[in-house]
Amino acid sequence: MTTRPSYVSGTSDKPLLGDTIGDNLDRAVATFGDRDALVDRTSGRRWTYRQLADEVNAVALGLVDLGVEAGDRVGIWAPNCSEWTFTQYATAKIGAILVNINPAYRTHELKYVLQQAGIRTLVAAPSFKGSDYAAMIDEVRPECPALTDVLLIGEADWHGLVAIGRGGSAAHLAEIQAGLSADDPINIQYTSGTTGFPKGATLSHHNILNNGYFVGELCGYTEADRICIPVPFYHCFGMVMGNLAATSHGACMVIPAPGFDPAATLAAVAEERCTSLYGVPTMFIAELADPSFGEHDLSSLRTGIMAGSPCPVEVMKQVIERMGMTEVTICYGMTETSPVSTQTRADDSVERRVSTVGRVHPHLEVKVVDPETGRTVPRGEPGEFCTRGYSVMLGYWEEPAKTAEAIDAARWMHTGDLAVMDEDGYLNITGRIKDMVIRGGENVYPREIEEFLYTHPDVLDAQVIGVPDERYGEELMVWLRMREGVSPLTPEAVREFCAGRLAHYKIPRYVHVVDEFPMTITGKIRKVEMRQVSVELLGLQDIAAARHA
């Protein structure tokens, strides 16, 4: 019998939405006007859908008064706050392209994004976590000729903009909104490449509104849901899977804190009776380990999403058992695909939900291909994950050559992730093509070893990398975070734990115990930085510098 190819398309009895984001929000306001829409825990403010629309429309008309037009780029550089959400929907209503700027950026990166996107207007927090945003903006502004207006949240210019907008014409805003197309670009998100400058993934209303909507559908959202969003808005996880999933279903968005804080997140869930909680695995690990965990009543939780990086099976099981998130789903995707391509379903078995990234999303196609030939591999064989459909970005902003490298002639997005599709269409992400370690000719996938090390009772978190080795080309190293109160594991102890249970070439030679891993602002582990540190730590600079064919 011939094995079926690793290809599947997502069917649905629900059609794609043809709205713009502004029209979709207006529809939610008309239906759910008096229901809670947004709670900003830090400032103690909350808005119903009708009140949210008033704020959004005021910011939209304020931007129009500044001269912002459809297609102009409006940057936002701020942590999670209500003003971020107002700006997101306000720019969508007038057809301006919102450019998300990573809160962790410094002047070098800020200048690059301001220049590359041609940002006209910048909405920014004055400061965050010791970073003086206002001073950094002043430093780079002379080199950014397109930048005409800077609005600092909470300061006079911002308040002035909102005040002017409140006096603006609703009819004029409706006229602008009516002239927009769902296929217009509406958002640029810069993806942090491991080399060179980030690329600006350009997304349309149609891309992100539908992705948020179908994420919400698979979470079973209704107007009764309250979604706790500790993941950053500047990333798709926050602004699409969080905000757009909520507003397309009349649900409530809850902002627990400006940046991730495990205790504040748990308190927000308990006090706001949240039914859904989002996070990358490291966030859930931190919440489960927080000393205040037992003090919070999490009984309102029903669902949520774990995504952003590979989800350890043991952590997923604890989220279900200890946090009561019995319908929690795993999502897989990337910024360039709006972001979600696959998701587990609430009626999937626990085994499926803790060991796969689910099945293809509605209205999308996915396939697994041989990275060398591009041919679809049989089910059960590893290859590169590719996806096609409404979610694939318009392209990288003003970078056609880089766009062509990622999206082929048939509009398949090549993710760079290694995946295996089983007979039922469920997918496992087994690593990055670039993360794969080749030790003495053997292909080693760090994810497999990490999953195994999570089963050690003293290990809180494990990350495996390849480091240079004279004999094998690469050798394995594991960075470990230990549970509180236990002794650090030695290389000998790790070898003993793995012996007889992992192939010898998969057993890490080097062990490094740390309190924290180097992380991106979205909670992804920076393995590139870990490798650099490890080379120094182990004195492997000469081997690393050696050239190979």
Side-chain angles (χ1 to χ4, degrees):
M1 189 179 79
T2 309
T3 308
R4 285 188 297 162
S6 296
Y7 167 87
V8 66
S9 61
T11 56
S12 177
D13 58 358
K14 290 194 166 68
L16 289 165
L17 302 177
D19 300 345
T20 62
I21 290 167
D23 288 348
N24 188 263
L25 178 64
D26 288 347
R27 191 169 288 111
V29 172
T31 311
F32 308 111
D34 295 326
R35 295 195 69 89
D36 283 354
L38 178 64
V39 176
D40 185 344
R41 296 266 302 172
T42 304
S43 66
R45 296 173 296 166
R46 58 183 64 228
W47 295 263
T48 63
Y49 266 90
R50 197 166 286 111
Q51 291 166 337
L52 171 64
D54 289 344
E55 297 291 342
V56 166
N57 293 345
V59 174
L61 284 164
L63 290 169
V64 169
D65 185 74
L66 273 185
V68 177
E69 297 179 350
D72 286 347
R73 273 77 68 206
V74 175
I76 183 151
W77 193 29
N80 287 11
C81 58
S82 51
E83 289 82 4
W84 210 112
T85 305
F86 302 155
T87 305
Q88 175 185 346
Y89 288 90
T91 49
K93 282 207 159 211
I94 62 173
I97 301 173
L98 184 72
V99 183
N100 305 3
I101 304 174
N102 188 326
Y105 275 3
R106 290 291 171 269
T107 49
H108 180 63
E109 298 140 319
L110 173 66
K111 180 176 77 173
Y112 175 78
V113 168
L114 289 171
Q115 290 177 342
Q116 206 273 331
I119 290 174
R120 180 200 187 283
T121 302
L122 177 62
V123 176
S127 61
F128 178 58
K129 281 189 174 175
S131 294
D132 188 341
Y133 288 177
M136 285 192 264
I137 294 164
D138 287 343
E139 185 181 329
V140 303
R141 196 169 180 176
E143 299 174 76
C144 302
L147 185 61
T148 57
D149 296 288
V150 175
L151 305 161
L152 296 179
I153 293 169
E155 299 201 354
D157 285 345
W158 173 262
H159 291 309
L161 173 109
V162 175
I164 288 167
R166 288 199 202 286
S169 163
H172 183 40
L173 180 58
E175 186 185 342
I176 294 170
Q177 209 172 308
L180 305 178
S181 162
D183 294 318
D184 292 338
I186 201 62
N187 185 217
I188 298 174
Q189 300 199 28
Y190 280 86
T191 63
S192 49
T194 50
T195 57
F197 282 106
K199 305 181 288 286
T202 307
L203 303 165
S204 67
H205 295 267
H206 193 66
N207 286 150
I208 60 177
L209 175 60
N210 275 293
N211 205 257
Y213 174 69
F214 281 103
V215 164
E217 284 293 294
L218 296 190
C219 287
Y221 287 158
T222 70
E223 68 273 18
D225 280 291
R226 301 173 70 80
I227 308 167
C228 185
I229 311 173
V231 293
F233 285 159
Y234 95 86
H235 189 265
C236 270
F237 203 168
M239 69 165 282
V240 178
M241 298 158 69
N243 292 350
L244 286 169
T247 56
S248 60
H249 290 87
C252 179
M253 303 165 277
V254 177
I255 308 171
F260 176 62
D261 177 322
T265 301
L266 293 166
V269 169
E271 291 164 29
E272 291 295 332
R273 307 309 294 151
C274 292
T275 58
S276 177
L277 172 61
Y278 288 5
V280 297
T282 49
M283 291 180 175
F284 283 106
I285 289 168
E287 288 154 12
L288 289 159
D290 193 84
S292 73
F293 182 86
E295 299 164 21
H296 302 286
D297 175 6
L298 307 180
S299 61
S300 58
L301 281 175
R302 168 182 69 81
T303 187
I305 296 173
M306 198 189 294
S309 60
C311 303
V313 171
E314 291 303 314
V315 176
M316 187 69 168
K317 285 179 177 171
Q318 285 193 53
V319 165
I320 292 170
E321 290 163 16
R322 294 180 59 203
M323 301 180 86
M325 292 168 60
T326 54
E327 297 176 27
V328 66
T329 71
I330 282 182
C331 290
Y332 161 78
M334 62 192 305
T335 304
E336 290 90 336
T337 56
S338 302
V340 176
S341 297
T342 71
Q343 188 171 352
T344 57
R345 274 52 166 184
D347 59 357
D348 283 336
S349 68
V350 171
E351 183 54 35
R352 291 279 199 205
R353 283 189 285 145
V354 298
S355 62
T356 76
V357 292
R359 291 175 284 139
V360 65
H361 236 235
H363 301 288
L364 296 178
E365 298 170 271
V366 300
K367 65 178 179 177
V368 180
V369 304
D370 182 319
E372 297 298 318
T373 66
R375 292 192 189 97
T376 305
V377 300
R379 296 200 183 193
E381 288 190 17
E384 184 181 16
F385 183 102
C386 298
T387 186
R388 179 167 70 178
Y390 78 82
S391 68
V392 175
M393 66 174 177
L394 300 177
Y396 293 119
W397 184 257
E398 294 190 340
E399 296 200 78
K402 288 200 166 90
T403 302
E405 287 172 19
I407 303 172
D408 67 25
R411 288 292 296 169
W412 285 99
M413 178 77 207
H414 291 253
T415 66
D417 284 329
L418 291 163
V420 177
M421 182 186 293
D422 72 13
E423 280 301 322
D424 298 318
Y426 287 84
L427 286 122
N428 268 103
I429 304 301
T430 54
R432 291 284 296 165
I433 289 175
K434 291 176 184 170
D435 267 357
M436 186 177 72
V437 178
I438 304 176
R439 181 192 182 276
E442 296 277 7
N443 290 355
V444 181
Y445 300 105
R447 174 81 191 275
E448 179 191 355
I449 303 164
E450 290 160 2
E451 289 285 3
F452 174 71
L453 290 171
Y454 277 119
T455 65
H456 191 293
D458 295 345
V459 170
L460 184 64
D461 206 347
Q463 295 294 323
V464 172
I465 56 171
V467 293
D469 185 78
E470 206 159 28
R471 182 177 176 191
Y472 293 109
E474 283 187 288
E475 188 54 274
L476 294 172
M477 180 175 191
V478 62
W479 286 37
L480 295 174
R481 289 176 60 213
M482 309 304 298
R483 296 196 183 281
E484 209 168 321
V486 302
S487 300
L489 286 178
T490 62
E492 293 73 28
V494 170
R495 275 197 291 276
E496 189 179 329
F497 182 70
C498 296
R501 300 163 80 190
L502 283 182
H504 70 91
Y505 64 86
K506 296 179 184 175
I507 298 176
R509 177 178 173 186
Y510 305 107
V511 175
H512 182 44
V513 176
V514 294
D515 292 329
E516 297 292 339
F517 299 129
M519 309 274 264
T520 68
I521 191 78
T522 51
K524 291 185 182 179
I525 310 292
R526 283 189 51 80
K527 286 197 170 182
V528 172
E529 189 177 323
M530 287 169 60
R531 285 189 197 96
Q532 291 166 346
V533 170
S534 300
V535 166
E536 297 286 326
L537 203 65
L538 300 172
L540 302 174
Q541 295 92 329
D542 289 348
I543 300 170
R547 297 186 64 181
H548 301 279

